[in-house]
Amino acid sequence: MSTLEIEARDVIKIVLQFCKENSLHQTFQTLQNECQVSLNTVDGVETFVSDINAGRWDAVLPQVAQLKLPRKKLEDLYEQIVLEMIELREMDTARAILRQTQVMGIMKQEQPERYLRLEHLLVRTYFDPNEAYQDSTKEKRRAQISQAISAEVSVVPPSRLMALIGQALKWQQHQGLLPPGTQFDLFRGTAAMKQEEEETYPTALSHQIKFGKKSNPECARFSPDGQYLVSCSMDGIIEVWDYISGKLKKDLQYQADENFMVHDDAVLCVEFSRDSELLASGSQDGKIKVWRIRTGQCLRRLERAHSRGVTSVTFSRDGTQLLSASFDTTARIHGLKSGKMLKEFRGHTSYVNYAIFTNDGSKVITASSDCTVKVWDMKTTDCMQTFKPPPPLRGGDASINSVHIFPKNPDHIIVCNKTSSIYIMTLQGQVVKSFSSGKREGGDFVGACVSPKGEWIYCIGEDMNIYCFSYQSGKLEHLMKVHEKDAIGITHHPHRNLVVTFGEDCTMKIWKP
């Protein structure tokens, strides 16, 4: 983007306007004199001109006092006012303007004849318009003066300083630098930090978003800055929502124009970059696309990211690489610049449902339908550890849905498998803590997420219920039905107590406490 050149004079003019509008007259004059920059604005040229044409000098003079006009035009104006005051027999006013204003003082020195003519007219006992207005009329002279002066002034919208600051803040909010509804400290240039919300589980439906019959949402994610909620669905469409209103975000021009980010096949997963600028999406046909969220522009197409559907995507911490998992039993790392596959993690014997980086980026953790979790060395792609969570009560093994870094301890992961229990485990496979719904059958978990500080672990079950486990008590604190048909998944807002669920009933629901 080319840089905008901003004239220092314009900045001074904006400050001058602020002073004028807030009646800071001394500051206004001092700044105007010191910088030799004049504002020369009036509230409305038409009004200003009609005030001169009608001889409403009480309205004209205060405005003229704040303008910097060429001396000749000022002299014509003041001369006209003196003549009209004499005609009205307002001798004291005429005398004051003639003898006490700077303009007339200069005229007396540089054009003594013109000045003395006015002094003579002032002491006469009668007034002769023909003599005074010399081959013209009062009206014609007013019209000439108004035309001459109006060429020197301009009209600008009011409160430019406040408007520009407002626009700048709007832009920052749009960029996600300011979460909606925050107080902003202009002087420090930061948002006044809100007291962080105490983490608590959701109990009420905030909004329900309905999708078309064959286009149920497959995945949903909030942006790390908390500004966007994105969904992707069976029909290949990716949509950006305003989770506060539950409506499509129309301040994104492409969505307002009914243009959306799309794939040719069902989109199974989406994920944001850490700066909330980019979105990666993976589809059923093994393709990955990377988008710029503000413009909806596709920046990268990885046409052959995988040979089968992409089940999860995540950006590396520095945003230069993408980690993906797939039904093709592999996880892979792709370079964002080159669009090429850089690394492959092979070893699972069934679908890889989920893949994440450890916080330090040194390891990759995968969850698979072969019922194992694997920990890989990011550099060498060697498998360092393979483990299974405890088996379900009914016996056998269970497919692993997902793994999540535990916020309270980055060396621990939350492992969600297709049972009615969820586990906090070490990277060596030891169980640190387990949470169970106690349901023997029909209540297996299909998805999970964790609150930002790790106080709550949320599971969504095949029974369409959401299970809210408290980390502190280790107990199931709340249970509620959230969908009419099979639930697909669940995700959490990065700093608010909001949870989003999505299911095969073609709805996405936003839940609040």
Side-chain angles (χ1 to χ4, degrees):
M1 200 174 110
S2 59
T3 53
L4 291 169
E5 291 292 329
I6 295 174
E7 293 276 337
R9 291 175 63 84
D10 293 342
V11 177
I12 293 163
K13 281 186 177 178
I14 287 172
V15 176
L16 283 169
Q17 186 198 42
F18 180 81
C19 294
K20 180 180 171 184
E21 288 178 341
N22 290 280
S23 307
L24 304 170
H25 303 305
Q26 276 176 301
T27 313
F28 179 91
Q29 289 298 351
T30 308
L31 187 59
Q32 195 159 261
N33 295 340
E34 199 170 336
C35 300
Q36 290 298 301
V37 173
S38 51
L39 186 60
N40 277 18
T41 61
V42 289
D43 295 337
V45 173
E46 289 82 5
T47 320
F48 185 60
V49 166
S50 76
D51 282 345
I52 296 176
N53 287 336
R56 286 190 285 269
W57 306 117
D58 54 335
V60 172
L61 278 174
Q63 293 200 67
V64 168
Q66 294 193 332
L67 303 175
K68 274 215 184 314
L69 297 174
R71 204 169 74 221
K72 183 191 176 306
K73 294 183 181 183
L74 260 183
E75 286 171 346
D76 291 350
L77 172 71
Y78 274 77
E79 181 179 49
Q80 180 70 14
I81 297 173
V82 170
L83 291 172
E84 290 196 22
M85 290 300 120
I86 297 172
E87 183 177 3
L88 292 167
R89 310 317 282 160
E90 292 277 357
M91 296 308 189
D92 289 345
T93 310
R95 199 174 288 112
I97 292 173
L98 188 57
R99 296 177 185 172
Q100 290 168 22
T101 57
Q102 201 180 355
V103 189
M104 290 311 202
I106 295 169
M107 186 195 278
K108 185 178 182 179
Q109 286 166 357
E110 297 189 0
Q111 304 173 56
E113 288 131 23
R114 185 178 177 187
Y115 178 84
L116 286 170
R117 190 178 81 86
L118 294 172
E119 281 283 8
H120 287 312
L121 289 172
L122 193 60
V123 294
R124 295 256 182 91
T125 52
Y126 65 92
F127 181 83
D128 177 0
N130 295 332
E131 183 191 1
Y133 298 124
Q134 295 174 316
D135 313 325
S136 185
T137 65
K138 176 164 65 177
E139 287 68 29
K140 273 188 191 156
R141 289 201 34 165
R142 282 178 182 173
Q144 285 165 344
I145 291 167
S146 69
Q147 200 178 350
I149 292 180
S150 66
E152 298 290 332
V153 298
S154 58
V155 176
V156 291
S159 311
R160 287 297 296 145
L161 183 64
M162 301 318 263
L164 286 167
I165 290 170
Q167 285 165 349
L169 293 183
K170 253 210 179 94
W171 186 83
Q172 290 197 24
Q173 201 166 45
H174 181 59
Q175 292 283 321
L177 302 172
L178 282 180
T182 38
Q183 289 288 314
F184 191 74
D185 184 329
L186 253 190
F187 193 56
R188 286 189 188 157
T190 55
M193 285 311 290
K194 275 207 314 241
Q195 284 302 306
E196 290 203 353
E197 293 183 311
E198 196 175 311
E199 292 199 338
T200 178
Y201 55 81
T203 56
L205 183 63
S206 170
H207 290 289
Q208 171 169 300
I209 295 165
K210 287 194 167 124
F211 291 75
K213 272 214 166 64
K214 290 203 174 116
S215 58
N216 65 270
E218 283 290 328
C219 183
R221 287 291 181 267
F222 285 101
S223 54
D225 63 15
Q227 202 191 343
Y228 303 115
L229 168 63
V230 167
S231 67
C232 60
S233 51
M234 283 295 283
D235 56 10
I237 297 178
I238 298 163
E239 291 165 299
V240 189
W241 303 91
D242 178 345
Y243 62 85
I244 294 168
S245 67
K247 293 187 167 54
L248 272 177
K249 248 188 166 335
K250 289 291 176 77
D251 56 353
L252 296 173
Q253 195 54 50
Y254 59 97
Q255 290 202 151
D257 298 340
E258 303 272 319
N259 294 321
F260 295 95
M261 301 178 275
V262 291
H263 278 257
D264 299 331
D265 208 339
V267 186
L268 306 182
C269 54
V270 283
E271 191 59 83
F272 278 92
S273 57
R274 275 168 61 89
D275 61 5
S276 304
E277 292 278 319
L278 306 179
L279 181 79
S281 54
S283 55
Q284 181 77 53
D285 53 11
K287 291 179 183 166
I288 291 175
K289 292 186 180 182
V290 178
W291 313 85
R292 186 173 298 290
I293 195 83
R294 281 202 326 280
T295 61
Q297 179 193 2
C298 183
L299 303 178
R300 272 273 169 271
R301 284 183 179 78
L302 312 182
E303 296 287 345
R304 289 186 294 279
H306 286 277
S307 57
R308 296 181 68 185
V310 182
T311 54
S312 94
V313 277
T314 182
F315 284 86
S316 61
R317 227 173 154 75
D318 63 3
T320 61
Q321 298 177 350
L322 266 180
L323 168 64
S324 60
S326 167
F327 291 136
D328 67 10
T329 76
T330 70
R332 293 176 177 173
I333 286 179
H334 315 267
L336 222 55
K337 262 212 170 81
S338 66
K340 292 190 167 70
M341 180 176 86
L342 306 178
K343 285 173 183 164
E344 184 176 56
F345 303 90
R346 279 186 169 277
H348 282 294
T349 55
S350 183
Y351 307 154
V352 182
N353 298 319
Y354 219 82
I356 57 172
F357 289 104
T358 52
N359 280 4
D360 63 6
S362 67
K363 301 177 193 75
V364 164
I365 306 165
T366 51
S368 168
S369 293
D370 66 9
C371 310
T372 68
V373 172
K374 285 182 183 286
V375 181
W376 313 79
D377 184 305
M378 159 77 181
K379 279 208 171 72
T380 64
T381 72
D382 293 338
C383 179
M384 302 160 69
Q385 208 79 42
T386 302
F387 56 84
K388 293 180 176 179
L393 299 169
R394 59 176 176 268
D397 281 324
S399 169
I400 317 272
N401 303 310
S402 60
V403 281
H404 313 264
I405 299 291
F406 185 49
K408 288 184 179 296
N409 182 344
D411 295 329
H412 291 168
I413 52 172
I414 294 168
V415 180
C416 172
N417 61 355
K418 218 168 167 338
T419 67
S420 56
S421 296
I422 188 164
Y423 303 93
I424 297 176
M425 303 179 77
T426 66
L427 295 185
Q428 289 72 43
Q430 279 118 8
V431 174
V432 178
K433 203 163 186 172
S434 63
F435 306 85
S436 175
S437 75
K439 209 167 178 181
R440 279 191 100 82
E441 52 196 47
D444 286 355
F445 299 148
V446 295
C449 69
V450 59
S451 64
K453 294 195 207 120
E455 294 297 337
W456 296 92
I457 293 168
Y458 300 106
C459 300
I460 193 159
E462 59 186 3
D463 55 6
M464 288 89 84
N465 281 326
I466 182 171
Y467 292 83
C468 310
F469 294 105
S470 158
Y471 170 74
Q472 296 301 340
S473 72
K475 290 195 178 81
L476 175 65
E477 297 288 345
H478 186 65
L479 169 73
M480 64 180 176
K481 187 164 183 195
V482 289
H483 286 282
E484 296 306 315
K485 276 190 185 161
D486 286 359
I488 295 171
I490 182 166
T491 193
H492 202 295
H493 189 278
H495 51 253
R496 291 189 171 192
N497 290 314
L498 291 175
V499 166
V500 167
T501 60
F502 37 98
E504 286 186 12
D505 55 6
C506 297
T507 66
M508 176 166 77
K509 297 183 180 182
I510 304 167
W511 302 91
K512 62 181 183 185

